Amino acid sequence: MIALKSTIASVNVGMPAELAHGGKFVQSGIVKRPVAGAIHVSEQGLPGDGQADLVNHGGPDKAVCVYGTDHYPYWEERLGRSLSFGAFGENISLASWTEPDWCIGDKVRIGNALLQVSQPRQPCFKLAALYGAPDLADWVSKTGFTGFYLRVLEPGTFSSGDEAIVVERHPAAITIAEANRVMHIDKSDVAGMNRLLAVAELSASWQETITKRISKLNAGQ
């Protein structure tokens, strides 16, 4: 962690639309397009942006999705195609910083809005459907190139070119990369899960998932 700021390469939004999957169509908001100029962010996210599955996407803990553009070259090679901003359904395409650099609970100033890191992003089948790569969601989880979500503490405006500045590093310093390890790789690491649960700023959905996993592991002892 050599710096406490990074640059917004693009801000992207998109509303739910039909996405081909398994010979039929599903509704998905995964297709995002860059927007020009300043945009206002509130506790519910960005205007012109929406999710079809409100159980697993959106809401205050997942108001803004962030993905690192440093991952694009890897995916371009693996998918055999070029990628543009918003390629992974992210609202903010972020230059320079990736998952090992951000911690759950970090407070981030972007423009005049204040946001907070809440959880890693968990890719679903719709990302795989978008690129016609059935294993893509699994690849994302296993590489740890997931991106993450922000909740909004103070609404405000920002635009591409603005800096994302960490104004308060969470004292637990549990990175997105570490949270991904516990969730997707070392699934029986109860000590690691408990450390993650001790961070009150972790999203409610991740708290619930991890609590259930620990209960199942304890029941199987």
Side-chain angles (χ1 to χ4, degrees):
M1 301 178 186
I2 60 175
L4 291 176
K5 62 183 179 182
S6 136
T7 302
I8 307 303
S10 180
V11 180
N12 320 292
V13 300
M15 295 300 293
E18 286 190 339
L19 177 68
H21 173 66
K24 59 182 181 179
F25 291 92
V26 295
Q27 288 288 314
S28 174
I30 197 168
V31 176
K32 309 293 185 188
R33 302 287 185 235
V35 296
I39 190 168
H40 183 80
V41 65
S42 71
E43 289 87 351
Q44 296 302 318
L46 299 167
D49 193 62
Q51 296 79 33
D53 177 4
L54 296 178
V55 174
N56 296 302
H57 302 284
D61 280 345
K62 294 179 278 190
V64 178
C65 182
V66 180
Y67 200 74
T69 60
D70 283 11
H71 295 322
Y72 277 18
Y74 173 87
W75 293 119
E76 286 178 333
E77 181 176 356
R78 190 153 188 182
L79 295 170
R81 59 179 295 169
S82 61
L83 298 175
S84 56
F85 295 137
F88 276 70
E90 74 270 18
N91 300 120
I92 291 178
S93 303
L94 186 73
S96 302
W97 272 29
T98 55
E99 290 79 7
D101 301 306
W102 296 91
C103 297
I104 304 294
D106 282 353
K107 293 182 179 179
V108 188
R109 180 71 66 182
I110 307 178
N112 61 8
L114 183 66
L115 304 98
Q116 185 175 51
V117 179
S118 61
Q119 69 162 76
R121 185 259 191 95
Q122 286 187 273
C124 69
F125 73 92
K126 293 178 181 178
L127 181 63
L130 180 64
Y131 291 106
D135 297 323
L136 182 54
D138 187 54
W139 295 345
V140 170
S141 297
K142 287 181 177 177
T143 58
F145 300 165
T146 59
F148 58 92
Y149 285 105
L150 298 169
R151 64 170 62 91
V152 178
L153 301 180
E154 296 176 7
T157 58
F158 54 75
S159 64
S160 61
D162 284 349
E163 290 182 330
I165 303 170
V166 176
V167 295
E168 185 178 324
R169 177 68 90 193
H170 194 278
I174 296 179
T175 66
I176 294 295
E178 168 65 5
N180 279 329
R181 180 192 69 79
V182 170
M183 178 65 78
H184 302 297
I185 307 299
D186 299 322
K187 297 182 179 182
S188 60
D189 181 1
V190 174
M193 285 184 272
N194 281 322
R195 286 193 296 271
L196 191 52
L197 282 177
V199 179
E201 293 80 2
L202 181 68
S203 70
S205 62
W206 268 56
Q207 290 181 30
E208 181 180 1
T209 297
I210 292 172
T211 299
K212 287 180 179 178
R213 183 184 294 177
I214 291 174
S215 295
K216 288 181 179 179
L217 288 169
N218 289 338
Q221 289 179 351

